Amino acid sequence: MALCAVAGAAGAPQSRAADEDGRRCMSAAECLERMTLAELAGQLTQVQNIHLKDPADLARYGIGAMLSGGERGGPGGSTGGSAAQWARMVEGYQRAAMRSRLGVPLLYGVDAVHGLGNVQGAVLFPHHIGMGATRDAALVRRAERVTRDEVLGAGMRWAFSPCVCVPRDPRWGRTYEGYGETPAIVGPLGAAAVHGLQGHRLGPHSVLATAKHFVGDGGTAFGTGNAARGYLLDQGDTRVGDAELRAVHLPPFARAVDAGVGSVMATYSSVRGAKVHGERRLVTGVLKEELGFGGFVVSDYAAIQQLPGDGFAAQVESAVNAGIDMIMVPDDYRGTVGAIVAGVEQGRIPRARVEDAARRILLVKERMDLFRHPYGDRRLTAEVGSARHRAVAREAVRASQVLLKNDGVLPLPRRGRYRIVVGGNGADDLGRQLGGWSYRWQGQLGRHTEGTTFRQALEAAVRGTGIEVAGSGRGDVAIWVGGEAPYAEGHGDVSDLALGEENARELREVCSRAEKCVALLYSGRPLEIGQELARADAFVAAWLPGTEGAGLTDALFGAGYGGRLPVTWPLGGGGVLPVGYGLRPY
Ligand code: GLC
């Protein structure tokens, strides 16, 4: 079945299977042959939808790519929006872009880091740290295939995922975007994610994947974060030698390249004081020449503005000369095109470098068959949020749960006359179980999309069983659900891993209402829970499970706990639970 919109399909935009008026270039080679320097520079430029001054600029400058960021990514700079609304928005941009002299389609990218977080109604999976707890590459591939279909259904063909970072300090706010603290965990799952999004090779059914952030972002030293933003680790300095960089942080990129990943995003962070975005030794020498990466390297959001240099044009030149192929500006696209053209004309950027970057970008577009199929797939729009997709996420939630303690209270009897009292700040808050990159960049408490909270799942699970669920009073079993409020990137950097007094107090209060107590912790990282582990009769690391809360209750009522720690879990006072720890009582 042709996935991309074809002439005549219901609601599908008219994408011309071939160039009818001889205007458009239809292959990388033909485009490169005909492109002017300014058009080559346009291909290297990515603009964020909210910063597009005039849709006609897409054709005027031959812009190669656009993005919706984590915030206000929807139609007209809105937050949220349905898949159909997003598809209409993106198709409009694509039609405008293809009015350029050579009609080259643009790539439209979005962060789909645990499903299509910006789009309301999309299915959101456990964040990567939870998927890492499954150790299940086949499940990761199936999950990313669902995400691929939802990205296509929302009209897009590029996801800035998977993050194949290797988080080494859980105080980092992006710990949950990593699958685990070792390359042995991250590598296979990152490769599986690439296959889920792209298929076994790029083609008309693909969503372009992005291995990010090259290289070493998970190894930054505490206290070296971007001080201007108040970050403690994020965008900081990875102070390791090449031996550790190659042993820990590089292997997942090698696995992603071997899996055929079409794009790599550079990291904001530095290696031994040198910003990676300006490091030709790493971006060109290691990634392209040593690992043989044949796709394109995209800068991170406004990252080149962090490079040393006398003004924006100098930063553009530095990044392009280092091997950055596409500049995620995301705003001054006119200045970016101008800087590249001037850099070449004045001899500061070799024309061959710009041609190589454009070639990489155009070859990815050709391999995705974007010239003939420039749109997503309206046939999949109705599948966004479908029961079939949610079932995959529910399975992933259950498989991600790590049972840290069980004094015999689990599994809970599926039937019988007993009373469960449930409480805690996460018991009925969808936003807390989603985490960051959900509806908004930083996430948002409350209900802003479709999904099942823990409380809703529990009430559904006990319906007709004789079990009673209450939010107050005493019970036979108490269940506390709570944890971190949502965050993303450096905004989640912390100086310690304390659970926090609110959570500790709520857990004590809820557990005081029954003889037996079960604790479920929503967190993007391990937190120090020594006292709470002692207080509860069972304790589950639930991570940030996403929209399908029923996966949590499936495990509680006997479907079993399959998860194993993907990170070392400090208990406070020097105790730890090691990577790989996880009880399997049934
Ligand atoms: C962010 C992140 C990156 C994301 C990009 C676009 O700052 O570092 O992971 O893909 O911007 O939203």
Side-chain angles (χ1 to χ4, degrees):
M1 175 181 76
L3 258 174
C4 297
V6 289
Q14 300 303 312
S15 82
R16 287 173 288 194
D19 179 51
E20 287 143 2
D21 55 16
R23 172 178 60 89
R24 294 179 58 206
C25 60
M26 296 297 288
S27 70
E30 184 193 351
C31 294
L32 287 164
E33 178 72 28
R34 296 170 58 187
M35 276 180 161
T36 65
L37 175 59
E39 288 167 331
L40 290 168
Q43 275 306 298
L44 276 55
T45 303
Q46 180 176 29
V47 60
Q48 184 176 7
N49 63 338
I50 59 173
H51 292 302
L52 185 63
K53 295 173 175 55
D54 175 357
D57 277 353
L58 294 174
R60 188 172 295 125
Y61 292 87
I63 296 297
M66 289 185 71
L67 79 140
S68 281
E71 194 70 24
R72 297 192 302 127
S78 63
T79 296
S82 69
Q85 290 169 329
W86 276 67
R88 273 195 296 278
M89 169 184 76
V90 175
E91 287 159 9
Y93 289 127
Q94 186 68 287
R95 277 194 295 273
M98 291 173 71
R99 292 192 192 100
S100 68
R101 184 177 75 91
L102 295 173
V104 180
L106 58 71
L107 273 167
Y108 197 103
V110 69
D111 288 282
V113 293
H114 67 137
L116 194 49
N118 299 59
V119 174
Q120 286 172 295
V123 176
L124 298 188
F125 287 85
H127 271 292
H128 277 187
I129 194 167
M131 298 308 285
T134 73
R135 303 294 201 285
D136 187 339
L139 179 58
V140 167
R141 190 165 52 247
R142 286 166 54 217
E144 296 296 345
R145 188 183 177 105
V146 165
T147 296
R148 179 205 69 173
D149 287 355
E150 299 210 345
V151 170
L152 287 171
M156 293 169 280
R157 296 203 59 201
W158 184 11
F160 306 135
S161 184
C163 179
V164 290
C165 53
V166 185
R168 305 291 278 180
D169 184 332
R171 294 173 292 184
W172 184 39
R174 306 197 77 163
T175 296
Y176 68 76
E177 294 188 63
Y179 290 111
E181 68 181 35
T182 71
I185 295 171
V186 176
L189 300 184
V194 170
H195 282 146
L197 289 167
Q198 296 188 165
H200 278 285
R201 66 184 60 78
L202 281 176
H205 304 197
S206 297
V207 163
L208 176 64
T210 310
K212 69 185 188 181
H213 309 81
F214 184 83
V215 61
D217 54 339
T220 56
F222 184 83
T224 66
N226 185 330
R229 297 184 182 177
Y231 296 170
L232 296 169
L233 295 105
D234 198 32
Q235 307 184 9
D237 191 18
T238 302
R239 293 174 173 168
V240 301
D242 275 356
E244 181 170 338
L245 196 70
R246 288 175 171 277
V248 174
H249 301 285
L250 191 61
F253 286 93
R255 292 295 297 264
V257 169
D258 291 347
V261 72
S263 70
V264 168
M265 186 182 292
T267 177
Y268 287 109
S269 52
S270 306
V271 173
R272 299 192 294 277
K275 279 280 183 185
V276 171
H277 274 77
E279 270 298 88
R280 189 176 192 288
R281 177 181 71 88
L282 293 172
V283 179
T284 299
V286 174
L287 177 61
K288 294 181 178 178
E289 293 171 354
E290 188 179 321
L291 296 188
F293 174 58
F296 67 86
V297 179
V298 60
S299 64
D300 203 337
Y301 187 97
I304 67 165
Q305 287 88 318
Q306 294 185 16
L307 287 175
D310 181 17
F312 180 63
Q315 292 165 326
V316 170
E317 291 164 13
S318 172
V320 173
N321 284 332
I324 301 290
D325 300 304
M326 182 183 285
I327 308 282
M328 185 189 287
V329 191
D331 45 11
D332 186 9
Y333 52 95
R334 295 171 178 169
T336 303
V337 172
I340 295 169
V341 170
V344 171
E345 287 174 343
Q346 294 163 22
R348 294 186 299 273
I349 305 175
R351 183 181 174 111
R353 175 73 274 274
V354 173
E355 289 171 346
D356 171 58
R359 177 179 302 107
R360 287 170 174 270
I361 294 163
L362 290 164
L363 276 174
V364 165
K365 292 183 176 180
E366 181 182 303
R367 286 161 58 202
M368 292 174 71
D369 213 2
L370 202 67
F371 289 97
R372 296 188 311 139
H373 301 289
Y375 299 102
D377 176 35
R378 284 304 194 96
R379 292 177 179 77
L380 293 170
T381 306
E383 276 291 293
V384 175
S386 68
R388 184 169 66 84
H389 288 180
R390 293 189 189 278
V392 179
R394 176 173 178 169
E395 178 187 345
V397 172
R398 188 192 60 73
S400 68
Q401 302 299 291
V402 181
L403 187 56
L404 303 181
K405 175 183 181 182
N406 181 29
D407 284 354
V409 65
L410 297 181
L412 296 176
R414 279 195 167 283
R415 313 187 66 77
R417 291 216 168 280
Y418 67 97
R419 192 169 199 260
I420 299 175
V421 59
V422 61
N425 59 33
D428 204 20
D429 187 328
L430 192 61
R432 200 177 289 262
Q433 79 188 47
L434 299 181
W437 298 103
S438 308
Y439 183 68
R440 307 191 80 108
W441 175 41
Q442 295 294 314
Q444 183 161 326
L445 292 177
R447 175 173 287 276
H448 300 286
T449 187
E450 291 164 42
T452 307
T453 65
F454 174 82
R455 173 80 187 254
Q456 290 171 318
L458 184 63
E459 287 170 345
V462 303
R463 202 160 289 133
T465 64
I467 302 167
E468 186 190 349
V469 169
S472 60
R474 292 197 57 78
D476 301 293
V477 178
I479 301 180
W480 172 81
V481 186
E484 293 187 302
Y487 53 82
E489 302 191 42
H491 294 276
D493 287 358
V494 291
S495 53
D496 64 62
L497 297 172
L499 176 65
E501 185 42 41
E502 178 200 356
N503 283 312
R505 178 177 42 74
E506 283 187 355
L507 183 148
R508 288 194 299 271
E509 195 280 326
V510 171
C511 285
S512 71
R513 298 205 220 133
E515 287 304 309
K516 292 290 183 183
C517 183
V518 178
L520 273 75
L521 175 66
Y522 290 161
S523 68
R525 54 185 142 213
L527 296 176
E528 289 180 356
I529 53 168
Q531 293 178 13
E532 291 71 26
L533 203 59
R535 176 66 186 80
D537 301 284
F539 204 108
V540 179
W543 314 113
L544 298 170
T547 52
E548 306 312 308
L552 303 168
T553 50
D554 290 343
L556 282 175
F557 285 104
Y561 284 89
R564 287 181 287 140
L565 286 181
V567 292
T568 304
W569 193 295
L571 294 173
V576 298
L577 296 176
V579 171
Y581 180 88
L583 299 179
R584 283 184 179 67
Y586 48 88

